[in-house]
Structure formats: C-alpha cells, structure tokens
Amino acid sequence: MAKQTGSIEPIHRRTLHGEVLPRLRDMIIEGVLEAGTRINETELCLKLGVSRTPLREAIKTLAGEGLIELVMSKGAVVRRFTRRDVANMLEVIKLFEIFAAKAACANATDAEIKAVALLHKAMVQEYKKRNRLGYYKLNQDIHSELVRLGGNPEIADLHSMIQARLKRIRYLGNQESTKWAGALAEHEEMMKALATRNGNALAEVMGRHMDQTLLRVSDTL
Amino acid sequence: MAKQTGSIEPIHRRTLHGEVLPRLRDMIIEGVLEAGTRINETELCLKLGVSRTPLREAIKTLAGEGLIELVMSKGAVVRRFTRRDVANMLEVIKLFEIFAAKAACANATDAEIKAVALLHKAMVQEYKKRNRLGYYKLNQDIHSELVRLGGNPEIADLHSMIQARLKRIRYLGNQESTKWAGALAEHEEMMKALATRNGNALAEVMGRHMDQTLLRVSDTL
DNA sequence: ACATAGAGTGCTGTATACAGTAATAACCGT
DNA sequence: ACGGTTATTACTGTATACAGCACTCTATGT
C-alpha cells in the first residue's frame, strides 16, 4: 500500500460507502419516516451519523425509486400514496407477473421450478405458525423469483422497485384470516400451474391473485 | 429581504438549481458522452461549470433512471446496452402499450383521440419531408400520449423512462426508407383502430409495431 | 528476463463552510 | 385592532477542502 500516514491505527472507522442508502430506504419502508413527512436534512444527518452530502445523494436515489418526492427548493418529502396510486402500481405488477408467468413456464429449468415450490412450502409453514412477517417475506420472494424466471431482467428490476414501494403499505395491512386463507389458496393454484408448466393457467391465476390483492389491501388504506 | 451583506451587486449568477440534471441527461442521450465512458467528475465539472456536489447528485438521479451505472468506489459509467437489453426494454414498452391501447379505447375522450390523430398528421408531414428528427420526435409523442390516455400514470412514467433510455439508441439508428415506410403503415393502422375505439385491434397493431421496431432497431446495433 | 514489492498519482467518498431563498415572527402605520 | 411591511431564522443548494482507496508505473531481487 502507499501513503503511510505515520499513524499505526489501521481502519478505525468502517466507511463502507453505500451504507446510508439502504438504511434510509428501510426507515421509509418500515414507517419510521411517515408518509408525507418533510425530510429535515440536518436533523436526519445527526440520526444517521453522516454528513449532508451522502444523505442528499441517497435521497436523490430514493427519489428515482419513487419512495421520495423532490420539491424544488423546498426539499424532500416521503411520498404519500393514494388508493389510486396503489391500484395503479398493482396493475403494473399484474402486467409484469402475467408476462413472466407465461415466459417462466416456457423457459425455466426444472430445478428453478422446484426452488419456487420449496419457497412455497416454507411459506405455508409460516402461515401455519401465523407468522405474518415471515409469510410476507416469503410471499415477496416467490413473486420476485417467478418474475425473475420470466427471463427479462428489466422487468424483474422494475417489478422489485414497485414491490419496494408497496412494502410500506403492505407491511401495515392487517388482513383477516379469511382473506389470508384466500391468498394462500391462490398460491396453491399457482404452484400447480407452474409444476405442470401451464403458462396460460398460471397467468390467469396470477392476474386473479393480483386483483384480489388489490381488494385485500385497499380497505387497509 | 434579510442579511444585507453590504455588497450591492444583486444576483450576478443564475443558480437555477436543477440545471445540471437535464444538461447531463441530454449529453448522454445525444451521445456526447459515449456508452461505456467512465465519467471523470472533476473533468465534467469544468465542462458544465458547476461543482462536484450537484454533479454527483445528478449522476445519482440518472443512475435511478437507468442511464448510468454506478460501480462501487470506481465511479459512474455511461450505461452500455446490449442487443438483449434493448430487446428486453422494448418488451416492457410493448407490455405497457398493449395495456394502454385497450384502456385508452375504453376511456379516452373524443377530444383526446382527436389530438392523437393531429399528432399523427403532423408526423406524416415530417415523413414526407424526410425529416428524421421531426418524425422521430412526433413518433415518441404519439406513443407517449397513447400510453397517457391509458389512464395509469405509473405506467406512463415508467414508459417514458424507458423511452428515454432508448432514445440514445434510436437517435443513431438510420433506418432505410422501406422500413420507415413500414413503420408508418403500422401507425396508420393504429390510427384507424383508435378512431373506431377498437381496443383489441389497437393492442394487436401496437404489439406488432413494437416487434417490428425491435427488428428495425436491432440491426443498427 | 520476469515476477514482485513499493511508491506515486489520480480519482472517488465524505465533511465542512458559505450563499441564497422561503417561511415566520415581530413591528409599525393606519 | 388589524393589515402590511420589514427583519430574523432555518433550511436548502452549492462550493471547497480533506481523507482514503485503487490503479499504475517503476525499481529491485532472484
């Protein structure tokens, strides 16, 4: 290495560059920063223990992801989603998943399909344990994986971006057991269609599943 | 006002905040910064006449838009698109436009449909003048407007984001007259379907149009 | 001659300091 | 007392300065 600065102390502070971005994102998703909150930069800097420069850069990135809104010479605001916004985003998700469903049935390997089935089994376990968080996480993973198997990374990226936006909403949504059971039943159907590589059937179920998801979510708003 | 600093000189420099972002975006789209170029921040600062801080913020935003790639502790690189990337992006556009086609035919007002027809007429004029740039711009406008009429702003935003990425590619693409004529013919079909509010027909044509666009573009890569 | 260690250079990532602007509170005139 | 105007404050936007890492080019040992 170069530039022995004389001091022996090696690396006393883990800089680890992109640390603020995920932290801030989590704060928004988990609701630590409520929707509609005007972000005070200096204040947040103290909380995060970083300077304004990296924080502002993270804010710009999150604005690109649609989690934050930038108001000219007035700063950043945690984006607030209307019922309509959520419906629109779920519509996009639906488009992606229907497309991916067909493509995945056509192109995915047997191993990949098996991996999704395993995720599903794990999710069922979480359901039986009535562990909402674990269930939710695996649910997301299954949908993400299915879209990934569609073979179009652009779609996968956009899909996960919108999923991230919805995370905050769905995190809070306390669905009753009946609805929860319905969602699980749809997932069972999906797995059957995927196992038999019936693309049209899978697309149909996933479309229906997303429509139902909208209904399930929309009365929690 | 407050804080009279003593000096009388009022405002000698137009700060105008978000000036760098659109300028940098144009530089990428117009190919001033070639794909694959590693961006040297200090160098670009001199060219743009701003400091590194706002430039870096603009870079973060453009990374969110997918025009720039961020490499950890190595800086920013103007994103290079493979043939596959372009195909994938056009696939997304196709999804959006097919969806919007149906929705637009169902929900758009007569005035809105008429406005699209006017854009089309203007585009035909540009075609007759063999004015590629004018044609291209109106072409984009028509597609954007159709998607907007679909009534889902999320889709419209994502659509225009991807269109922006493709701009750089399509800018350069020098299609021969035969292919150009083909594209125009498809647009004529689209206008007929839209005028009669035949959603399925419009969706079919637009899907075909995007497939053809992929073919037309892909041999210019 | 080639591989390897070391110094040097250049660029990114971060922090701090300054300038300008919008919102708010105080003050004055009517 | 109330509307308008002025001063204060607080926060955003920008610039500059510093620290650390990564790469390259050179020099030396085997």
Side-chain angles (χ1 to χ4, degrees), chain A residues 1-3 15 17 49-54 57 73-74:
Chain A
M1 301 300 166
K3 210 180 233 174
T15 356
H17 160 247
V50 288
S51 173
R52 279 184 58 214
T53 311
E57 293 184 359
S73 76
K74 212 177 167 186

Side-chain angles (χ1 to χ4, degrees), chain B residues 1-3 15 17 49-54 57 73:
Chain B
M1 305 299 166
K3 210 181 235 177
T15 357
H17 159 248
V50 290
S51 172
R52 278 183 61 212
T53 312
E57 292 185 358
S73 78

Side-chain angles (χ1 to χ4, degrees), chain A residues 94 97-106 143 146 185-211:
Chain A
K94 182 177 162 187
E97 297 201 354
I98 284 178
F99 171 86
K102 294 174 191 163
C105 283
H143 282 271
L146 273 170
E186 286 149 27
H187 268 260
E188 294 282 1
E189 278 192 76
M190 283 160 51
M191 288 306 118
K192 281 209 187 81
L194 180 64
T196 57
R197 289 180 180 274
N198 188 340
N200 287 326
L202 182 58
E204 189 276 328
V205 186
M206 292 191 83
R208 184 151 41 82
H209 180 58
M210 291 319 300
D211 291 339

Side-chain angles (χ1 to χ4, degrees), chain B residues 114-125:
Chain B
K114 207 155 210 168
V116 175
L118 285 177
L119 285 174
H120 175 72
K121 272 178 191 157
M123 189 182 77
V124 172
Q125 290 307 312

